[in-house]
Amino acid sequence: MRSFRFTLLTIIGLLIMSAALPGVAAEDEPAPAETAEDAETLIQPGYEPAVVVEPAGGDDFEPAWTTKFLVPTGLLIAAIAMLSTVVMYFVRVVRTRYKVVE
């Protein structure tokens, strides 16, 4: 029964961790946009563009609130559950394993 609980807790922890992976991957910074200096080097000498386009300003990407709050909370709850399982194992099982013989 105890191994079943530990296995179940491990599976649930792995599921929570795998659910957090897309959120971690989504927080990568976007690739830098081409700057005006790079665009000028592509233009052949003596030619001017018809319209000069300024590079777009960097949009600040703010992750969704679920990524910011629910994922870390779920990971924290899973860590606390695993830690408490280990502590309860040592309190209940290891303490009663050996008895003092008088």
Side-chain angles (χ1 to χ4, degrees):
M1 183 70 172
R2 293 174 196 219
S3 64
F4 175 72
R5 287 182 186 170
F6 181 72
T7 305
L8 184 64
L9 183 63
T10 303
I11 291 171
I12 291 172
L14 289 174
L15 287 174
I16 290 173
M17 292 292 237
S18 65
L21 289 178
V24 172
E27 293 182 7
D28 291 341
E29 292 187 22
E34 185 177 302
T35 61
E37 296 153 354
D38 294 338
E40 290 175 4
T41 59
L42 297 176
I43 299 173
Q44 296 177 357
Y47 291 99
E48 299 245 349
V51 177
V52 177
V53 178
E54 296 294 326
D59 294 334
D60 292 334
F61 174 72
E62 186 172 333
W65 67 273
T66 54
T67 305
K68 291 168 83 176
F69 300 111
L70 289 182
V71 172
T73 303
L75 293 175
L76 181 66
I77 290 171
I80 290 171
M82 293 176 78
L83 181 67
S84 64
T85 302
V86 170
V87 169
M88 291 308 293
Y89 171 78
F90 282 106
V91 167
R92 291 185 180 170
V93 175
V94 176
R95 182 182 288 179
T96 60
R97 183 178 291 168
Y98 303 107
K99 299 199 186 240
V100 178
V101 177
E102 294 181 15

